[in-house]
Amino acid sequence: MNGLHGIIFSYEKRNDLRELGEIRSAASIPFGGRYRAVDFALSNLVNAGVTDVGIVLHGRYQSMLDHLGTGKVWDLSRKRGGLRMLPPFNYQQNWGVLPFRGKIEALAGVRTYLDEIRQDYVALMDGDLVVNLPMADIFESHVKSGADVTVVCGNDSFATEDGTYFEMDREGRITEVLYRLHTPRGYRGLEVYILSKKLLCEIVDECSARDQFSWRKELQTRKNSLNLRSYIWSGFAAQIRSVQEYYDRSMQLLDPAIRAELFTPERPIRAKGADKPSTYVGSNGRCVNSLVADGCRIEGTVENSVLFPGVVVEEGAVVRNCVLFKEDIVRRNAQLSYIIADKDVEVLADRTLMGHATYPIVLAKGSIV
Amino acid sequence: MKKECIAMLLAGGQGSRLYVLTGDMAKPAVPFGGKYRIIDFPLSNCTNSGIDTVGVLTQYRPLELNSYIGSGQPWDLDGSTGGVHILPPYQGSKGGTWYKGTANAIYQNIGFIDLYDPEYVVILSGDHIYKMDYSDMVARHKEANAACTISVMEVPWDEASRFGIMAVDGDDMITEFAEKPKEPKSNLASMGIYVFSWKALRKYLTEDEADPNSENDFGKNVIPAMLNNGERMAAYRFDGYWKDVGTLVSLWDANMDMLSPESGLDLSDESWPIYARSVNAPPTFLGRNAKVTHSAFNRGSDIQGTVENSVLSPNVVVGEGARVSYSVLLPGTVVEPGAVVEYAILGEGCRIGRDCHVGGTPESTAPEPWGLTVLAPGCAVESGKRVAPGIMLSRNGEEVSK
């Protein structure tokens, strides 16, 4: 089958996500008022006509399984193909004990699945990438360019936790693969790669034999023997790898130009819906410069914030520069600024909590303040 | 597959009293409450009441309704042994006809109902906003050993002559039924929701069909015939929120009621969720100068101006300096900067140009009569134009009379 297959990695635990990452992998972190990070990778693939997607899981994937269900939201609940959950069933070690040492170990853990892929090409994506990529165009340019591997890069060298950076020549051929840089340079890799199924299997087998599990190290080793080409994406592309990055990227959504790049109507991002009524703003409510999901009830003041479904802000409460996850309750006259509150947090009446733009405070899931 | 109880939902109404607002859709497909369609209420009530088999009788302009219902998945009505079925009129070996009346619509689908061989059939209407546990009503029906149970609610005495009125005895069994009586004997009005024992209904439908003088209507023919024959007819009292949204004013009222849960219409109660096929759009953005008060909005909207006492559907745009008050905006409407919309219902995809003034307050027209302003789906009003209170515009922007 001459098409594209998707593999999304959802296993990495990033310590800089603090409380947000304790109960979930970065890929299932809520983002943008109604999404989970993985919704973006899934929608990018589905919008390019991809029908088969495997999700590589490891560690705390309960939250991910809950979210994905049968894959119906993305039209990936199919008789043939569709969404496949991939815990490391071929993994040699005692799995669940040690984290994967790299993408290749993760792929080796599901090696028999790779053989079953019906398509000739595979797109590898990270579950913690928030972006709206034109994957159909990227795939087309991969096939046309004759590249062995197409590496999708952001048009910047922003520092991201444990990022990979690429340098290239004028024709777009990758000349250098860099990581663990003190000061990032080159183009920021989005950890999105397209290559043939054949080459992918060959790399996985070869590397397993050599006990080499780092994908980027392998690219570095083979940068001369393989034709590695770049695709530069100049729109919004966030890798959610630390609380600070999470916060800054969330606040960027208040900019209409950024929203236009991420929520392109031609390539809609699909997410599981919450069966909630419309959001209601009360007679004394004030809600400005904010992104607000369904089912909220706002009787107090909300400024410069992102509200997920079902958030309640009672009369007299003030929420500024915050990200409030699903079903959070801010009681009367409580004041919050620079707070990221995980699901089901309740801030009791008259409490005041202040973080700072450079150090947003995270309230763990279910906490009562 | 035998079922104890199935529901038949009459969704064929033309919605002629909603005039231009229905556009190309059947009345039950009309959007409500910023998120729902009217038909979400009976469908969600069914699923919440444990009824997993629903026949939806459609007739006029069914395309939008059919595609909205789809597989029934949003209401959990896509089971393998029941689920939701769209039932348009069809041609049999002896020919076929349009549904002539509510009773005839059910008569033409006796075959469908027999597939499930039910003990009881619940007959529902597709133009009511309410939350009701039909299993309670069926329990009342069983307990009263009735052939038919009709849900009733008390209405103010001075309004009783607008309804079908039931007189009942001490056990709340119906003794008399009068359609819009001049001198009502009771203030118990029929809500148009019936539970029948299928054996009895099947017999009366067949007899009704054989009567050439019958209008084949439940209220006018079948119910009176059953009463005259001395069948046991029970009343089921309902005291929650219920509204027939068959008219523009009642549709507008029900939307306003949703803003105030004191009205009895509380949609946030998680024990009785109303499900809907939701649109896929990002959360709504409220701009720096947005002023939203006592209003509801849904996904995908961009609000820069003022919104007060209004209900906004998904993907609505309210520009900078625009003001929307006491209005209901259906999906995809755009109110350009500086425009004012008051006491209006704007159909899907309407565009109100800059500095337009659409509608007005009831005080503004005194002593002349006042009315809601209603725009058909897709209607565009050019910049700077005034659309007076009570005016109705078609898709092409032409005035239509009521």
Side-chain angles (χ1 to χ4, degrees):
Chain A
M1 210 173 175
N2 190 14
L4 187 62
H5 185 97
I7 293 182
I8 298 175
F9 296 95
S10 160
Y11 61 83
E12 260 164 301
K13 181 164 163 49
R14 305 224 180 239
N15 291 327
D16 280 9
L17 282 171
R18 309 204 307 251
E19 292 89 336
L20 297 177
E22 266 172 24
I23 48 161
R24 52 172 87 86
S25 63
S28 58
I29 206 163
F31 187 83
R34 65 169 293 232
Y35 306 93
R36 301 282 186 142
V38 73
D39 293 344
F40 293 88
L42 276 170
S43 301
N44 287 187
L45 289 166
V46 169
N47 288 335
V50 174
T51 57
D52 298 5
V53 179
I55 309 245
V56 178
L57 304 163
H58 191 329
R60 306 188 173 189
Y61 55 74
Q62 172 61 27
S63 149
M64 192 53 132
L65 292 182
D66 270 357
H67 177 64
L68 296 174
T70 61
K72 188 156 187 65
V73 172
W74 302 273
D75 286 335
L76 289 173
S77 175
R78 304 258 65 99
K79 277 178 115 86
R80 286 191 78 191
L83 189 68
R84 286 281 298 273
M85 305 292 176
L86 304 171
F89 48 81
N90 290 355
Y91 195 36
Q92 306 293 318
Q93 322 292 325
N94 284 338
W95 68 275
V97 181
L98 292 170
F100 287 134
R101 285 166 284 174
K103 280 195 172 66
I104 295 176
E105 188 167 38
L107 290 169
V110 296
R111 182 61 185 81
T112 49
Y113 172 79
L114 300 183
D115 285 332
E116 288 165 23
I117 291 175
R118 300 186 288 161
Q119 292 81 4
D120 293 339
Y121 295 93
V122 179
L124 305 179
M125 296 183 86
D126 270 9
D128 63 2
L129 173 69
V130 175
V131 70
N132 194 341
L133 290 173
M135 285 302 282
D137 292 353
I138 299 173
F139 178 43
E140 197 187 326
S141 83
H142 173 78
V143 174
K144 271 194 189 151
S145 71
D148 292 312
V149 181
T150 293
V151 177
V152 182
C153 295
N155 191 18
D156 57 59
S157 23
F158 286 155
T160 186
E161 190 68 26
D162 195 28
T164 312
Y165 299 84
F166 296 89
E167 287 178 341
M168 56 209 69
D169 65 17
R170 274 159 199 246
E171 277 75 50
R173 179 159 177 172
I174 306 278
T175 53
E176 199 54 81
V177 183
L178 306 158
Y179 46 93
R180 297 203 190 101
L181 288 170
H182 187 257
T183 314
R185 65 171 199 271
Y187 291 84
R188 176 170 57 110
L190 301 183
E191 306 290 353
V192 176
Y193 305 95
I194 294 182
L195 68 165
S196 69
K197 172 193 166 183
K198 192 163 158 271
L199 178 60
L200 180 68
C201 291
E202 186 212 306
I203 292 178
V204 170
D205 292 343
E206 174 67 21
C207 290
S208 301
R210 285 191 277 118
D211 206 28
Q212 197 297 95
F213 294 112
S214 165
W215 171 258
R216 53 194 183 183
K217 185 172 170 198
E218 194 60 21
L219 288 185
Q220 199 176 48
T221 312
R222 298 191 185 211
K223 65 178 192 259
N224 295 321
S225 59
L226 289 179
N227 181 7
L228 306 180
R229 303 195 73 86
S230 60
Y231 181 100
I232 307 289
W233 170 249
S234 12
F236 179 82
Q239 287 154 301
I240 308 292
R241 297 180 170 184
S242 66
V243 166
Q244 191 63 48
E245 200 163 8
Y246 179 85
Y247 182 79
D248 294 344
R249 292 305 203 167
S250 294
M251 288 300 139
Q252 274 188 293
L253 295 181
L254 302 180
D255 177 346
I258 298 282
R259 285 203 307 283
E261 284 172 4
L262 193 57
F263 302 125
T264 323
E266 307 82 66
R267 296 193 302 272
I269 304 300
R270 306 188 197 192
K272 199 157 92 175
D275 283 303
K276 298 212 171 285
S278 296
T279 281
Y280 171 78
V281 183
S283 301
N284 299 318
R286 183 167 176 274
C287 183
V288 294
N289 197 35
S290 295
L291 199 58
V292 181
D294 308 353
C296 296
R297 198 166 177 87
I298 302 170
E299 308 272 4
T301 299
V302 175
E303 287 175 15
N304 315 326
S305 295
V306 178
L307 269 51
F308 282 75
V311 169
V312 175
V313 179
E314 293 190 347
E315 204 145 322
V318 180
V319 173
R320 284 196 181 98
N321 308 304
C322 291
V323 182
L324 304 184
F325 287 12
K326 227 174 140 183
E327 316 276 1
D328 286 345
I329 302 176
V330 185
R331 298 286 179 203
R332 279 172 183 275
N333 304 320
Q335 308 224 7
L336 301 182
S337 44
Y338 300 102
I339 301 289
I340 301 170
D342 206 322
K343 282 165 77 172
D344 303 317
V345 166
E346 183 176 357
V347 179
L348 299 178
D350 305 311
R351 302 284 194 272
T352 302
L353 281 171
M354 302 255 290
H356 188 268
T358 58
Y359 193 86
I361 292 176
V362 180
L363 304 179
K365 183 179 171 183
S367 44
I368 297 175
V369 180
Chain B
M1 177 78 194
K2 180 160 177 74
K3 297 271 177 187
E4 192 197 18
C5 180
I6 72 168
M8 298 294 276
L9 175 51
L10 299 160
Q14 267 204 71
S16 49
R17 286 172 307 152
L18 291 180
Y19 301 95
V20 297
L21 193 64
T22 50
D24 293 326
M25 59 191 147
K27 180 164 57 173
V30 169
F32 174 79
K35 157 159 190 175
Y36 310 94
R37 309 263 183 160
I38 299 169
I39 199 167
D40 289 329
F41 288 80
L43 287 178
S44 301
N45 286 339
C46 281
T47 207
N48 290 334
S49 305
I51 296 174
D52 65 2
T53 307
V54 184
V56 178
L57 300 124
T58 61
Q59 178 147 286
Y60 291 99
R61 297 173 295 224
L63 296 183
E64 184 141 357
L65 188 61
N66 291 358
S67 73
Y68 183 71
I69 292 175
S71 68
Q73 194 263 337
W75 307 272
D76 229 353
L77 289 172
D78 59 344
S80 52
T81 62
V84 63
H85 299 260
I86 306 268
L87 304 170
Y90 61 94
Q91 294 279 332
S93 55
K94 293 175 200 149
T97 61
W98 212 230
Y99 292 150
K100 289 176 282 179
T102 50
N104 175 257
I106 304 295
Y107 173 81
Q108 290 202 33
N109 288 287
I110 284 179
F112 170 80
I113 300 173
D114 280 344
L115 286 179
Y116 298 96
D117 187 22
E119 298 299 314
Y120 310 107
V121 175
V122 184
I123 306 287
L124 302 169
S125 164
D127 46 10
H128 299 162
I129 301 293
Y130 66 115
K131 301 201 286 186
M132 185 194 276
D133 189 342
Y134 304 135
S135 69
D136 274 356
M137 188 173 167
V138 173
R140 158 79 179 140
H141 180 83
K142 286 191 213 170
E143 174 200 284
N145 194 23
C148 168
T149 300
I150 301 176
S151 69
V152 295
M153 64 189 299
E154 289 184 25
V155 294
W157 278 97
D158 55 338
E159 286 180 27
S161 55
R162 289 174 35 219
F163 293 91
I165 293 294
M166 309 282 163
V168 296
D169 65 16
D171 295 326
D172 268 355
M173 297 302 285
I174 298 165
T175 54
E176 221 181 305
F177 171 77
E179 188 73 39
K180 297 183 183 153
K182 286 213 178 71
E183 282 167 24
K185 290 188 180 166
S186 116
N187 65 338
L188 289 179
S190 165
M191 297 159 62
I193 300 161
Y194 314 107
V195 175
F196 290 97
S197 294
W198 176 230
K199 270 199 203 104
L201 178 62
R202 203 176 189 289
K203 170 172 160 275
Y204 280 96
L205 286 177
T206 313
E207 287 172 13
D208 178 66
E209 188 62 20
D211 176 1
N213 298 321
S214 173
E215 288 178 52
N216 307 119
D217 184 86
F218 275 105
K220 287 181 193 149
N221 309 105
V222 176
I223 306 284
M226 290 179 86
L227 259 179
N228 289 340
N229 273 355
E231 297 283 357
R232 283 182 67 79
M233 312 276 280
Y236 170 77
R237 286 177 186 261
F238 179 77
D239 57 6
Y241 183 92
W242 177 85
K243 192 158 229 129
D244 179 335
V245 289
T247 66
L248 291 166
V249 171
S250 63
L251 180 66
W252 182 88
D253 276 346
N255 274 286
M256 294 299 138
D257 287 342
M258 191 201 70
L259 294 176
S260 310
E262 310 86 86
S263 68
L265 183 58
D266 179 5
L267 299 181
S268 54
D269 172 13
E270 290 186 2
S271 68
W272 201 268
I274 301 300
Y275 301 107
R277 185 179 291 281
S278 48
V279 298
N280 188 36
T284 282
F285 182 73
L286 293 92
R288 284 181 193 285
N289 301 318
K291 265 174 78 179
V292 179
T293 48
H294 193 55
S295 294
F297 55 81
N298 207 265
R299 294 176 188 164
S301 296
D302 185 348
I303 304 171
Q304 304 289 342
T306 299
V307 177
E308 44 194 29
N309 307 297
S310 295
V311 175
L312 272 52
S313 299
N315 299 318
V316 165
V317 177
V318 179
E320 194 92 34
R323 181 167 65 85
V324 175
S325 61
Y326 291 97
S327 293
V328 177
L329 273 52
L330 299 191
T333 48
V334 176
V335 180
E336 291 185 358
V340 174
V341 177
E342 294 176 306
Y343 290 87
I345 306 178
L346 306 186
E348 290 192 66
C350 279
R351 177 172 281 273
I352 309 300
R354 279 174 178 268
D355 305 317
C356 280
H357 193 147
V358 174
T361 63
E363 298 79 46
S364 69
T365 58
E368 299 297 311
W370 169 90
L372 290 169
T373 302
V374 179
L375 269 55
C379 176
V381 181
E382 281 168 47
S383 296
K385 227 180 126 184
R386 171 92 178 103
V387 182
I391 296 284
M392 211 156 54
L393 297 182
S394 73
R395 177 178 286 269
N396 310 323
E398 288 151 7
E399 213 177 307
V400 181
S401 58
K402 286 186 187 167

